[in-house]
């Protein structure tokens, strides 16, 4: 860690803020607020230094102890606002990509809302791409719903929960569906979001 340059150190510490246990290239670019090319260079440098694992192409994760170290050091060396903004960009990237993936799985009852995550959205070209992306990031999406709910972003929370509804239903992931929708219902009620509450209750009814 001491041998990292300033750019590498920032990337390493921001990765400690990743949502879920793994992150893709597009997500890392959102977290770093960088281009895909620059993010790829930084990720490969960290892999080369054995600070990051790449279990498959363009998918990265920490060893548990290294991840804990990155998160702990980040809380000291990176200010709260920068960490909050980085995590916000990553969660927005998941929301934007999930809405696109949901569209590819079939007609939806709700319009897709333009959002700040579009600049880093993963490009998906068909249903097979959408299925693979949902399979890969399903736990991260549940964690992102929780992140939105914890940060009083109820509108984003219900939209993400609604986007993953069909996938979770098709895969029989009813536990994830119910837990995420119940969390969204709590924040929707707290914020008086009638549409969020209505859509979420429909999802729970399907479960």
């Amino acid at each position: 860690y001491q041998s990292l340059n300033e750019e590498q150190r920032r990337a390493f510490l921001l990765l400690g803020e990743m949502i879920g246990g793994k992150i893709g290239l597009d997500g890392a670019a959102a977290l770093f607020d960088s281009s895909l090319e620059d993010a790829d260079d930084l990720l490969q440098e960290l892999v080369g230094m054995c600070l990051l694992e790449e279990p498959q192409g363009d998918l990265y994760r920490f060893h548990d102890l290294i991840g804990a170290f990155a998160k702990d050091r980040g809380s000291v060396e990176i200010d709260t606002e920068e960490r909050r903004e980085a995590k916000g960009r990553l969660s927005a990237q998941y929301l934007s990509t999930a809405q696109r993936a949901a569209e590819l799985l079939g007609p939806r009852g709700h319009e897709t809302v333009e959002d700040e995550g579009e600049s880093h959205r993963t490009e998906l070209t068909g249903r097979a791409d959408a299925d693979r992306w949902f399979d890969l990031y399903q736990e991260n999406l549940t964690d992102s719903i929780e992140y939105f709910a914890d940060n009083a972003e109820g509108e984003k929370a219900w939209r993400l929960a609604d986007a993953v509804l069909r996938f979770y239903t098709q895969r029989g992931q009813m536990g994830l569906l119910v837990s995420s929708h119940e969390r969204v219902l709590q924040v929707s009620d707290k914020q008086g979001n009638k549409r969020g509450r209505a859509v979420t209750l429909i999802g729970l009814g399907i479960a």
Side-chain angles (χ1 to χ4, degrees), residues 26-170:
D26 297 286
L31 198 66
F32 303 158
D33 197 19
S34 71
S35 67
L36 288 175
E37 293 76 13
D38 288 344
D40 188 43
D41 287 343
L42 287 166
L43 292 166
Q44 291 304 318
E45 289 163 7
L46 293 174
V47 170
M49 295 175 182
C50 299
L51 291 173
L52 192 65
E53 299 174 355
E54 187 179 11
Q56 65 184 72
D58 290 338
L59 185 70
Y60 304 88
R61 68 186 181 197
F62 276 131
H63 181 281
D64 289 346
L65 292 177
I66 295 177
F69 174 80
K71 189 170 185 63
D72 181 64
R73 295 294 299 177
S75 67
V76 175
E77 297 188 25
I78 297 182
D79 66 65
T80 300
E81 184 63 17
E82 183 175 1
R83 286 185 283 115
R84 185 193 66 78
E85 290 177 353
K87 209 162 187 174
R89 290 191 299 270
L90 177 57
S91 59
Q93 190 267 341
Y94 284 135
L95 173 59
S96 183
T97 306
Q99 290 192 127
R100 173 56 180 156
E103 291 174 353
L104 292 170
L105 291 183
R108 301 181 63 208
H110 312 286
E111 76 283 2
T112 295
V113 176
E114 305 292 324
D115 60 75
E116 65 268 26
E118 286 195 7
S119 60
H120 294 291
R121 183 173 64 197
T122 301
E123 290 303 315
L124 305 174
T125 58
R127 185 186 181 96
D129 274 354
D131 277 329
R132 280 193 295 269
W133 187 82
F134 273 130
D135 271 328
L136 197 56
Y137 294 107
Q138 56 185 290
E139 293 179 0
N140 297 48
L141 296 173
T142 301
D143 289 344
S144 294
I145 293 170
E146 187 70 27
Y147 170 79
F148 285 136
D150 286 345
N151 287 273
E153 296 189 80
E155 186 74 13
K156 292 179 180 179
W158 80 254
R159 288 189 178 278
L160 181 52
D162 181 62
V164 301
L165 174 64
R166 179 173 296 177
F167 173 79
Y168 284 168
T169 302
Q170 290 175 346

